[in-house]
Amino acid sequence: MSTLPARTRPLTLKVNGRSHGPIDVPEDMMLVDVLHEYLGLTGTRFACGQGECRACTVIVDDAHGTREMRSCITGAHYFADKPIRTVEGHARRDESGRIVELSPVQQTFLDHFSFQCGYCTPGFVNAATVLLEKLAKAPVAKARVEATILEALDPHLCRCTGYVRYFEAVKELVLKTPGLVREDAP
């Protein structure tokens, strides 16, 4: 039995505002593995490995807009030249890299004790962040707030079943953040 070395290609990634590379990455390697093994960014979780649970979700900001992408089923080379945000990129840091302030989503999850084991939390943080950014551009009618949050968070799985706390945290944040909700009917 022979084993052939994986074919590699140079890849440059822009993650959390910082450029990485070019680095030689196997052509079939998933982004989550590159984040962990090459960049030392382990906040993005590998869980189901099939894109079902969404613990591996990252945020992509490109010409198609801001959106969630599942990094366990999407090859790393797809992300070449696309700005990516991982959970490590949400908090504000000082010059030394020390966290000085959590993002509003992170803070509200803490305030609501939203997570238990925390394995799914990076995916929920990214989903809620994308939702808030979309609502800032297109506010939702107050009557549709709960349905909108459900649509955004529903694809994410929490094995500890902490859904209610995630939902309540995001609902409070949406309702108290100016400009995300319209008072008119849907």
Side-chain angles (χ1 to χ4, degrees):
M1 181 174 154
S2 68
T3 57
L4 297 173
R7 290 182 48 171
T8 63
R9 252 188 311 150
L11 173 65
T12 299
L13 293 172
K14 186 173 184 180
V15 183
N16 301 326
R18 185 170 162 226
S19 185
H20 299 270
I23 49 178
D24 284 332
V25 172
E27 292 182 341
D28 59 350
M29 183 172 267
M30 299 298 124
L31 178 64
V32 68
D33 296 320
V34 172
L35 293 172
H36 287 203
E37 303 300 328
Y38 289 79
L39 306 183
L41 298 171
T42 57
T44 301
R45 301 295 188 209
F46 181 87
C48 71
Q50 300 174 353
E52 293 296 324
C53 73
R54 299 188 186 232
C56 67
T57 297
V58 297
I59 299 173
V60 175
D61 302 294
D62 65 7
H64 301 290
T66 297
R67 64 190 187 286
E68 298 174 53
M69 292 286 298
R70 295 170 286 176
S71 66
C72 76
I73 60 169
T74 309
H77 286 279
Y78 172 82
F79 296 92
D81 301 320
K82 294 179 174 69
I84 303 165
R85 285 183 280 164
T86 67
V87 72
E88 290 94 341
H90 291 275
R92 195 166 60 82
R93 297 174 184 268
D94 64 15
E95 299 81 32
S96 70
R98 192 175 59 114
I99 293 173
V100 294
E101 182 180 23
L102 296 175
S103 75
V105 171
Q106 292 171 317
Q107 188 60 58
T108 199
F109 282 175
L110 276 177
D111 294 344
H112 284 261
F113 304 101
S114 297
F115 44 85
Q116 294 176 40
C117 80
Y119 206 81
C120 64
T121 303
F124 276 95
V125 167
N126 286 331
T129 299
V130 168
L131 172 63
L132 267 64
E133 291 175 2
K134 286 182 177 178
L135 293 178
K137 293 177 183 170
V140 65
K142 193 168 188 173
R144 293 258 323 133
V145 166
E146 291 187 358
T148 301
I149 295 169
L150 279 175
E151 289 169 14
L153 300 184
D154 191 50
H156 291 261
L157 299 180
C158 171
R159 294 169 193 217
C160 305
T161 67
Y163 301 107
V164 173
R165 290 181 181 171
Y166 280 125
F167 176 85
E168 292 298 329
V170 174
K171 181 180 173 185
E172 179 184 289
L173 187 57
V174 167
L175 291 174
K176 80 176 187 184
T177 303
L180 302 184
V181 178
R182 298 186 323 261
E183 292 295 328
D184 61 327

